[in-house]
C-alpha cells in the first residue's frame, strides 16, 4: 500500500487561469480522500483522469470559498451518476447548513447517504480511522475557524524472513510475527522471536495538509517527522507583513515549519494571483528547507518516490 497524491489546484482566492482553487486528491488502497474542494474541482478531476466515484472521504479546512465552493457541484454530479455508496464529509460548523440550503433550493435529493462530522479547530484530536489510515486534526490560525489534517498510514506488517522459518510453524504463529509480536509457548517463554524471524516493514506514509494559516509553530509537535507536509505559501517573504495581516504564510515560513518539524518533504501551494512566475517561491523555501516541491495543478506524487 502506498499513498498517491494529485494536486488539483494551487491557486488562492482570486482566480487565475493557470491555477485552480485548492483541492488535493489522495488515493489509498483504491479509496479517494479529497482535501478541500474549491470551485471547479470536479472539472479538474476529469482533466487529470481521476475517478470522482472513488472519493469516499472529503475534508474541508475552512469556509472561505476557494476551499469549498466546488462541493455542492461535486455532490450533485455524483448524484447524477447514481452514486449509492456512503460519503463521509468532515468540515467546520456551518458547512452542513450551507449544503442543506443549497440542496433544498436546487431541489437536489441525494441518492446516497452523507455522514457529516463537524470539526473543531481549538485542539488536535483523532478525527477518523479505518483499516488503513487515521486522520488527526491540526488547529490552524486563520481569519475564520480553520483546521488542517494529518493522514497517517497504519503500521505496515513486518516482513517474514521465509528462509529462516521452521517447517512446522502454523499460519496463526506467522500472523503473530507479521503483527510484530513474539510467539510464546504454553509457559509464556519466547518460542519464535519477532526480531529474529522478521524485519520491520517500511516506514508508514503520512501527509499533512496545512492551509490556510499564518505562521504557527504550535503545529510542530502534531506534524513531527511527517513524510510530506503541504503548507500554504500565499506570499513571498517580502510581503511578510501582509501575510501576517491576512493570516497567511510566506514561502520562507513554510520552509521554517518543515525544517523545525523534521518533515521529510515540503510541498507548497496556494499562491497569490499577484505572482505569475513561481520560481522565487521554490528558491525562497529551499533557502531553509532543501526537499521542497513547487506545487502545480495536475502534479502527481507517489509517496514511494519520496525520500
Ligand atoms: Zn484560501
Ligand atoms: Zn482562507
Amino acid at each position: 500500500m502506498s499513498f498517491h497524491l494529485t494536486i488539483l489546484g494551487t491557486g488562492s482566492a482570486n482566480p487565475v487561469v493557470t491555477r485552480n482553487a485548492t483541492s488535493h486528491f489522495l488515493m489509498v488502497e483504491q479509496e479517494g480522500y479529497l482535501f478541500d474542494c474549491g470551485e471547479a474541482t470536479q472539472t479538474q478531476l476529469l482533466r487529470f483522469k481521476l475517478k470522482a466515484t472513488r472519493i469516499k472521504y472529503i475534508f474541508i479546512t475552512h469556509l472561505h470559498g476557494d476551499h469549498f465552493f466546488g462541493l455542492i457541484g461535486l455532490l450533485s454530479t455524483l448524484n447524477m451518476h447514481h452514486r449509492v455508496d456512503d460519503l463521509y464529509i468532515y468540515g467546520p460548523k456551518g458547512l452542513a447548513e450551507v449544503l442543506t440550503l443549497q440542496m433544498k433550493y436546487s431541489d437536489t435529493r441525494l441518492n446516497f447517504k452523507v455522514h457529516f462530522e463537524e470539526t473543531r479547530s481549538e485542539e488536535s484530536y483523532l478525527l477518523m480511522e479505518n483499516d488503513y489510515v487515521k486522520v488527526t486534526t491540526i488547529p490552524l490560525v486563520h481569519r475564520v475557524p480553520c483546521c488542517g489534517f494529518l493522514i497517517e498510514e497504519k503500521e505496515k506488517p513486518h516482513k517474514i524472513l521465509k528462509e529462516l522459518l521452521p517447517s512446522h510453524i502454523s499460519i496463526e504463529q506467522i500472523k503473530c510475527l507479521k503483527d510484530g509480536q513474539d510467539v510464546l509457548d504454553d509457559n509464556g517463554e519466547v518460542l519464535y522471536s519477532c526480531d529474529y524471524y522478521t524485519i520491520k516493514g517500511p516506514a508508514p506514509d503520512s501527509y499533512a495538509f496545512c492551509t490556510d494559516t499564518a505562521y504557527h509553530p504550535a503545529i510542530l509537535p502534531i506534524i513531527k517527522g511527517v513524510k510530506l507536509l503541504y503548507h500554504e505559501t500565499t506570499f513571498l517573504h517580502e510581503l511578510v507583513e501582509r501575510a501576517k495581516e491576512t493570516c497567511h504564510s510566506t514561502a520562507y515560513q513554510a520552509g521554517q515549519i518543515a525544517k523545525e518539524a523534521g518533515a521529510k518533504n515540503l510541498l507548497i501551494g496556494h499562491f497569490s494571483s499577484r505572482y505569475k512566475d513561481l520560481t522565487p517561491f521554490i528558491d525562497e523555501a529551499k533557502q531553509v528547507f532543501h526537499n521542497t516541491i513547487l506545487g502545480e495543478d495536475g502534479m502527481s506524487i507517489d509517496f514511494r518516490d519520496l525520500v
Side-chain angles (χ1 to χ4, degrees):
M1 174 170 90
S2 179
F3 285 11
H4 193 103
L5 178 73
T6 307
I7 303 165
L8 302 176
T10 55
S12 53
N14 197 27
V16 287
V17 287
T18 48
R19 301 194 285 267
N20 208 75
T22 299
S23 185
H24 288 196
F25 180 77
L26 182 73
M27 279 294 285
V28 182
E29 283 294 297
Q30 305 304 313
E31 288 182 336
Y33 297 71
L34 193 72
F35 292 91
D36 279 344
C37 188
E39 193 179 338
T41 290
Q42 55 173 330
T43 322
Q44 294 292 82
L45 287 164
L46 286 173
R47 180 167 294 138
F48 304 126
K49 301 190 170 35
L50 298 164
K51 288 199 169 80
T53 47
R54 288 275 171 81
I55 297 170
K56 185 168 177 184
Y57 305 97
I58 299 177
F59 302 87
I60 302 294
T61 53
H62 67 298
L63 292 189
H64 282 154
D66 53 322
H67 297 262
F68 88 104
F69 279 175
L71 191 50
I72 187 65
L74 177 65
L75 294 182
S76 308
T77 304
L78 290 174
N79 203 42
M80 239 172 3
H81 293 170
H82 309 295
R83 182 190 178 99
V84 289
D85 297 335
D86 289 9
L87 184 71
Y88 298 81
I89 301 180
Y90 304 88
K93 183 176 167 58
L95 179 60
E97 190 184 342
V98 172
L99 290 173
T100 305
L101 270 181
Q102 286 176 312
M103 285 191 272
K104 179 179 170 190
Y105 288 106
S106 60
D107 195 25
T108 305
R109 285 165 236 189
L110 298 182
N111 315 307
F112 56 92
K113 194 164 186 272
V114 174
H115 302 265
F116 187 84
E117 189 170 328
E118 201 172 287
T119 51
R120 307 186 304 274
S121 49
E122 305 82 35
E123 53 177 347
S124 174
Y125 61 96
L126 179 67
L127 182 62
M128 61 80 75
E129 64 181 322
N130 57 30
D131 289 347
Y132 309 111
V133 298
K134 60 177 183 165
V135 177
T136 308
T137 61
I138 308 170
L140 299 173
V141 172
H142 199 41
R143 305 191 304 279
V144 293
C146 185
C147 151
F149 304 98
L150 170 68
I151 177 166
E152 296 171 282
E153 186 183 10
K154 289 191 170 170
E155 202 71 37
K156 289 185 171 158
H158 283 229
K159 190 174 178 298
I160 298 281
L161 299 168
K162 284 185 189 147
E163 62 281 9
L164 297 181
L165 281 186
S167 54
H168 50 272
I169 191 167
S170 70
I171 304 280
E172 286 73 32
Q173 289 171 327
I174 293 176
K175 191 177 171 303
C176 188
L177 291 174
K178 270 190 178 172
D179 290 343
Q181 289 161 12
D182 294 332
V183 176
L184 305 180
D185 65 15
D186 293 342
N187 301 321
E189 300 291 324
V190 176
L191 190 59
Y192 305 123
S193 149
C194 178
D195 283 349
Y196 181 73
Y197 290 106
T198 73
I199 47 173
K200 231 172 171 268
D205 284 340
S206 54
Y207 178 54
F209 184 77
C210 298
T211 196
D212 294 351
T213 186
Y215 175 66
H216 186 46
I219 67 173
L220 293 173
I222 309 167
I223 59 169
K224 191 170 187 293
V226 68
K227 189 160 187 183
L228 180 62
L229 165 66
Y230 171 70
H231 197 289
E232 72 124 291
T233 51
T234 308
F235 300 106
L236 291 171
H237 208 65
E238 63 197 15
L239 290 183
V240 65
E241 282 308 312
R242 176 92 183 118
K244 205 170 168 187
E245 278 159 32
T246 54
C247 291
H248 284 297
S249 299
T250 69
Y252 188 85
Q253 290 172 330
Q256 277 183 312
I257 293 284
K259 183 181 169 194
E260 286 160 29
K264 306 287 183 293
N265 301 273
L266 168 67
L267 171 67
I268 53 174
H270 198 270
F271 308 111
S272 161
S273 61
R274 77 186 65 216
Y275 302 104
K276 303 281 174 288
D277 175 18
L278 299 179
T279 319
F281 278 86
I282 188 85
D283 293 345
E284 187 174 289
K286 279 192 170 188
Q287 278 177 33
V288 202
F289 187 80
H290 182 72
N291 284 345
T292 304
I293 303 164
L294 183 73
E296 264 176 56
D297 290 25
M299 174 184 271
S300 112
I301 299 172
D302 188 326
F303 277 50
R304 282 174 295 202
D305 300 334
L306 295 174
V307 291

